[in-house]
């Protein structure tokens, strides 16, 4: 995902809504990490923004007010409750 400002003097922000389907409602929480292009390859386990939500068959997770840039997203359902994939 990339955002390009329409005008350099204008501050542009956007929201990213992520839908995750096919979850096991009783299988543990869903963890999502949002990374920027600069940090993802260097520190892949340290997201800029992290969300942990209870699982349902489908969930929508919001990342509001993102500055322009390129982002990566990692998501998993924590089936064994250890906080790791």
């Amino acid at each position: 995902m990339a955002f390009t400002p329409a005008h350099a003097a204008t501050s542009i922000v956007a929201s990213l809504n992520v839908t995750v389907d096919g979850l096991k409602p009783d299988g543990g929480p869903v963890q999502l990490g949002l990374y920027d292009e600069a940090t993802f390859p260097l520190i892949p386990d340290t997201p800029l923004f992290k969300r942990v939500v209870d699982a349902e068959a489908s969930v929508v997770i919001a990342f509001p007010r993102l500055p322009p840039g390129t982002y990566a997203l990692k998501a998993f359902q924590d089936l064994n409750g250890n906080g790791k994939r």
Side-chain angles (χ1 to χ4, degrees):
M1 158 192 260
F3 300 101
T4 304
H7 185 271
T10 304
S11 176
I12 296 177
V13 295
S15 295
L16 173 64
N17 293 322
V18 179
T19 302
V20 182
D21 295 322
L23 300 169
K24 297 179 181 180
D26 58 351
V30 177
Q31 296 194 25
L32 289 95
L34 188 67
Y35 303 79
D36 68 0
E37 186 176 25
T39 59
F40 182 72
L42 300 175
I43 45 178
D45 293 329
T46 307
L48 293 173
F49 303 101
K50 182 177 180 179
R51 301 284 188 272
V52 178
V53 297
D54 291 333
E56 298 177 17
S58 179
V59 296
V60 177
I61 298 92
F63 293 93
R65 302 194 46 80
L66 295 175
T70 300
Y71 296 92
L73 181 74
K74 289 171 89 174
F76 68 95
Q77 186 171 14
D78 191 3
L79 298 174
N80 63 4
N82 70 353
K84 300 177 183 177
R85 290 189 311 146

